[in-house]
């Protein structure tokens, strides 16, 4: 599975897994120190990994960074690392258990000395973890860099990264496997499901869950798309009919999210991430503060008072977000003025061109929305960085919250205004269609073609290398060339933007699609091309990302659920406003409103109950988890009884592996 | 701590902890078999406990059941049992860790051979657990009882209980400690907090959490009561003023429940139940079905198809509950007719007596409500039993749901009708006051005085024994007499009814107290007497219950939170209906309703966000839990490094205790 390649400059052979790129002007003493710490044995506080400098490339015509290092490890070191990380693997009896070296032969795919037992992505994750947890001992600074302060226990790699000495650390692609994966993923012509297990094998669970969700979401939209087409064809102008569609919408968006939780739990169970215990979370690289002691680990660590962070969040970030929301509203009002002008021009002179003009404000507004989202995104990242969160997860949550609120407001404010203030269903339909189509086209462009194109332009050297690669054709590119090629590729920034896009699409469909039944069809088409463009950019455009052993889609589940609550409210309001329903309450508007509100409350209550009734983890997986838990308890008990009931007798060295698998799952 | 008493009939001495009462006509062979199984060593599948028959009492004038057995255990056996159960105790460094015999000297109160380390309640819980998990081996039935079938792995005690051979199993009181506890709890005259730690020490965590919640709830009501008195004195007739009170209500009921979660987590942490892993839950004693195999344990066990249970729940129980709700509505309508008659009589002839008559329908209705609640309770228990739930927890959830829905409807339907259909605030106030006061009086009567009085009447023998006891005064009653005395006491049926009462009181206060500000004062007074009457009945009226190592108030937290959501809706509606608010929208009722609904949605959203912002577990306890988790990971890692980084080397017998405490808490 791993490509066994010799490193030119040395006699030793190992499979390179991860590349460290240091700044080209890094001082020799710092390099020597770093390499010795990486190679040092674990009992001396080293990482006990293999590391070699990358030799010069073939075409030495340009300045190349000499400070590129390949990191690998012996199979045994990787397996120990996997045990440290608590990776879950399938046992011979079909259950998923935490891997331990001692019980390695109980695991299904363990053969010989374990070659091929861990996927390359897992090996790279192990190496990343070992490098990340390589800690300073007595050093007070990085040798040769007096400003790069260290203290006992500080992660060396994180300090090097934050000081710019380490430029990047990335895992290598595996060309053979990538070729196979890309063929089964997006090059095949026949329609089929995505190879989720292969994606997980190559990119890790976080990526695979994203593509799994994308696929699930597309299938979930199918019934809506199928109902939407006849609606569009036969009832396009019959506004009254949308009540049925709204009711369907309302049930749909609740049920699919509950079912996704079950699907996600199934996937995560078989991928071994559902039960895995999370390691203690280290501070982010950029986190700074006065040196103090962490109350949990007792280690030296920067301390930043929570009260100061709260002040920054509530006195700076919150007002900023509110200001941006106000700005967004202001631009929306300008859009409605433009809309008014366009309409007045059309009324004065109704020609084909003035009819086209009617769509122009919507298109401009859609482009402006996308631009604002993009600019706001940078501002939000800057602000969240400045809030100085200790943990990456906390940083992510604050960033997601900021971005979600603004994007939701920015994209949907005009639709809400049209639907509930102007109550103009014709305009709502037109506006929704324009927004949806424009944003889809823009997104596809921004997401796949632009990075690819920029990449090609920015780096002529790379094109030459690609051409050189083409010369080699089937033969492998020499390792040195391949590493330099990958080092120049763009960095994949995570699934954030992909989920955000799905979130907004989910919003368009669940909130207002009853007035534009074709929305689901458009989103399905978009998702299908999305699969291809995302797969393409993962395989061709970006550096390989490190695997992310996620057990679920995290905060996005919450975001989608919040959206589905808003969808219930919106659809109820749309139903209440429909002429069909209004006709039942001819004399009293008050009564109509009260009935709508009552129905909405009942539906929200029902939705809440449904969340309880549908179990988050399927029964057969619950049973398997309970079985693991039960076995570990029984093993402990039995061992005690073997010792004649004298539980204080020293324990024998025989250790049942199941004892360690106690699973801290929530189900 | 344990009373060391000799058992009359034998030479052996041990502290009796638990009493088993078998039917007086139990066959000799069954008794002999049961005793041998209890005494047998653990490696032979026994419980390894000490058990002796209770000798005849002093006053042998009446027929006494000879088949009473005292169960105890050696200290070492109890400590091993505590390790099996995973009890958490305080260590010398102040952290809470799972007790293990091997690391016993790390624990704070461990002295000598461990005498006094476990509280008597904990010892009794250990014995109960050991008896409950005493399993049949090859026996096919209880000796002498061919209808009492057994199969390998069946809990013997549960079968004996379900066949009526074992009448009861209860823990003994400890008179000295009980005297101390009752003095500090309810006999002291000066106002002080309840001795929660002592209550927990004597009755276990479940009881202590109930009393802790009762106390917390009372304090939480204080500000409302304090605001309520001036409202009552000065604004009694000024209906307009209730808006301020409703807003206050609305915030109050959200905040106190969130803060209770933190308080509960603190208590549970220091009592060692927050982190304790739950043992595998065994089927309930009454659960029956075709013999099959449990998918989790692989043991023989009755299997009952879930689909059949669903049929029973949805086709029988659900229609029954709906029928009861309809009946409750019907009776409510009769009440309104009576109310109408009383009013017409008063209008015709307004004297003092006819004025009194106005209150009569409300009082009758309150009594009928209480009676219906009581009858329904029995029906719900019967139905839930018949649904044949496998687990006690599932049985409890279905029972609580049934009872809550009906009681809520039964108690509050008339108030909702008066408030929102009749919109008569004067009647609402009068009705609320009558309901609240009548139900409080009835409850106090039913709960404390009636059982005590019934107990006295039913069992004249017991009175004599109490008198005899009084003769002994300070001297201890002989053990034999004390056991028989306690065996005749009523059985405490758990905290269900107590929580239910608090739930309804919480409803009265949070839903409608803005129109009757004195409600909070009444509830505070009720709670104070409730503490005393509950404490009295726990100490004097009932048998001692087994400890219940609860980590929170369980399903009741959810019930109270559901009530607080309903309270937000109700209070918003009451505010919207107030003349004060109406005056802002003089021309348009539609606008008023829309604004009220919008405000309600914003408040519900805000409540939801608040639930996220207020962390369920206080920071310092989160840190302690994280520290435990971190230490166990570090210990594992260090051990591996000590072995020269070779993780496949057989583990040494040294075992770090922290490795076992991995804590599966949710925070």
């Amino acid at each position: 599975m791993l490509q066994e390649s010799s490193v030119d400059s040395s006699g030793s052979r190992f499979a390179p897994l991860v590349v460290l790129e240091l700044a080209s002007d890094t001082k020799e003493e710092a390099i020597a120190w770093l390499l010795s710490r990486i190679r040092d044995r674990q009992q001396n506080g080293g990482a006990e990994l293999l590391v070699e400098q990358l030799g010069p490339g073939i075409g030495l015509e340009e300045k190349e960074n000499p400070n590129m290092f390949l990191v690998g490890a012996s199979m045994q070191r990787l397996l120990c690392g996997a045990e440290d990380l608590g990776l879950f693997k399938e046992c011979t009896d079909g259950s998923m258990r935490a891997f331990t070296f001692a019980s390695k032969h109980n695991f299904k795919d363990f053969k010989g000395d374990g070659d091929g037992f861990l996927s390359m992505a897992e090996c790279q994750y192990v190496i990343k973890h070992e490098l990340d947890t390589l800690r300073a001992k007595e050093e007070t600074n990085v040798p040769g860099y007096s400003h790069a302060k260290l203290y006992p226990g500080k992660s060396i790699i994180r300090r090097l990264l934050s000081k710019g000495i380490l430029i990047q650390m990335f895992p290598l692609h595996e060309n053979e496997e990538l070729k196979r994966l890309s063929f089964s993923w997006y090059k095949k012509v026949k329609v089929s499901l995505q190879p989720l297990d292969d994606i997980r094998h190559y990119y890790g669970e976080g990526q695979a869950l994203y593509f799994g969700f994308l696929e699930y979401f597309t299938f979930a939209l199918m019934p809506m798309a199928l109902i939407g087409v006849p609606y569009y064809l036969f009832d396009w102008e019959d506004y009254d009919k949308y009540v049925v569609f709204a009711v369907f919408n309302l049930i749909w968006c609740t049920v699919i999210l509950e079912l996704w939780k079950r699907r996600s739990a199934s996937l995560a169970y078989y991928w071994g991430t559902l039960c895995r215990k999370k390691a203690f979370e280290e501070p982010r690289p950029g986190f700074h503060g006065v040196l103090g002691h962490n109350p949990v680990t007792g280690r030296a660590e920067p301390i930043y008072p929570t009260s100061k962070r709260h002040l920054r969040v509530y006195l700076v970030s919150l007002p900023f977000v509110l200001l941006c929301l106000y700005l967004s509203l202001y631009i929306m009002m300008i859009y409605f003025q433009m809309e008014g002008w366009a309409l007045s021009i059309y009324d004065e002179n109704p020609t084909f061109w003035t009819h086209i003009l009617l769509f122009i404000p919507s298109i401009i507004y859609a482009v402006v929305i996308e631009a604002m989202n993009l600019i706001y995104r940078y501002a939000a990242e800057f602000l969240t960085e400045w809030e100085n969160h200790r943990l990456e997860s906390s940083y992510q949550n604050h960033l997601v919250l900021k971005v979600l609120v603004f994007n939701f407001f920015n994209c949907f404010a005009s639709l809400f205004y049209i639907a509930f203030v102007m109550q103009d269903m014709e305009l709502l339909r037109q506006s929704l269609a324009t927004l949806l189509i424009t944003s889809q086209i823009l997104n596809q462009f921004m997401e796949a073609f632009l990075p690819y194109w920029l990449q090609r332009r920015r780096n002529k050297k790379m094109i030459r290398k690609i051409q050189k690669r083409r010369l080699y054709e089937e033969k492998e590119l020499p390792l040195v060339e391949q590493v330099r090629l990958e080092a120049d590729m763009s960095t994949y920034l995570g699934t954030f933007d992909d989920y955000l896009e799905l979130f907004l699409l989910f919003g368009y469909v669940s909130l207002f699609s009853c007035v534009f039944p074709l929305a689901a069809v458009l989103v399905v088409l978009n998702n299908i091309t999305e699969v291809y463009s995302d797969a393409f950019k993962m395989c061709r455009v970006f550096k390989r990302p490190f695997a992310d052993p996620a057990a679920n889609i995290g905060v996005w589940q919450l975001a989608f659920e919040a959206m589905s609550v808003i969808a219930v409210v919106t659809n109820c309001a749309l139903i209440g406003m429909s002429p069909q329903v209004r006709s039942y309450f001819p004399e009293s508007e008050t009564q109509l409103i009260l009935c709508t509100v009552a129905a909405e409350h009942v539906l929200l209550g029902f939705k809440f109950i449904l969340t309880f009734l549908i179990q988050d983890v399927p029964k057969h997986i619950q049973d398997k988890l309970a079985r693991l838990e039960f076995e570990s308890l029984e093993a402990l008990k039995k061992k005690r009884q073997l010792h004649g009931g004298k539980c204080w007798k020293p324990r024998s060295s025989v250790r049942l592996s199941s004892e360690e698998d106690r699973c801290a799952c929530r189900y």
Side-chain angles (χ1 to χ4, degrees), chain A residues 319-385:
Chain A
F320 175 78
V321 173
L322 293 178
L323 190 75
C324 288
L325 294 182
Y326 176 76
L327 200 72
S328 162
L329 267 189
Y330 193 80
I331 286 176
M332 185 184 90
M333 285 305 163
I334 295 178
Y335 156 63
F336 283 120
Q337 278 187 344
M338 279 165 58
E339 194 76 58
W341 290 337
L343 205 66
S344 63
I345 291 171
Y346 176 72
D347 283 347
E348 274 175 28
N349 181 18
T351 66
F352 173 74
W353 293 108
T354 49
H355 184 73
I356 292 291
L357 190 68
L358 280 181
F359 288 92
I360 299 294
S362 289
I363 292 172
I364 293 176
Y365 185 52
V367 173
V368 169
I369 282 178
E370 289 293 318
M372 279 172 72
N373 281 348
L374 207 69
I375 296 166
Y376 177 83
R377 178 69 200 280
Y378 287 107
E381 271 175 21
F382 175 79
L383 266 181
T384 317
E385 183 70 50

Side-chain angles (χ1 to χ4, degrees), chain A residues 97-98 100 102-103 106 631-640 642-643 652-662:
Chain A
R97 281 162 206 272
T100 59
S103 60
N106 295 338
E631 275 175 10
S632 76
L633 286 173
E634 285 298 290
L636 253 173
K637 215 172 182 178
K638 202 175 272 172
K639 223 170 59 185
R640 214 165 282 148
L642 281 175
H643 302 154
S652 87
S653 61
V654 181
R655 188 181 188 134
L656 292 151
S657 73
S658 57
E659 206 173 312
E660 278 189 331
D661 317 326
R662 288 203 179 184

Side-chain angles (χ1 to χ4, degrees), chain A residues 508-528:
Chain A
Y508 285 122
V509 173
S510 60
L511 295 179
F512 295 110
S513 72
C514 57
V515 295
F516 179 52
L518 224 53
V521 182
L522 285 176
V523 173
V524 166
L525 290 178
N526 176 75
N527 281 3
I528 291 171

Side-chain angles (χ1 to χ4, degrees), chain A residues 565-594:
Chain A
V565 170
I566 299 173
V568 170
V569 179
T570 314
N571 279 297
C572 281
L574 285 175
I575 293 171
M577 279 161 46
S578 74
Q580 217 177 0
V581 172
R582 264 171 208 267
S583 64
Y584 285 105
F585 301 92
E587 73 287 343
S588 159
E589 200 177 22
T590 311
Q591 223 173 0
L592 165 70
I593 296 173
L594 285 179

Side-chain angles (χ1 to χ4, degrees), chain A residues 542-554:
Chain A
F542 288 119
K543 278 194 202 67
R544 184 176 190 169
F546 278 109
D548 158 29
N552 48 52
I553 61 172

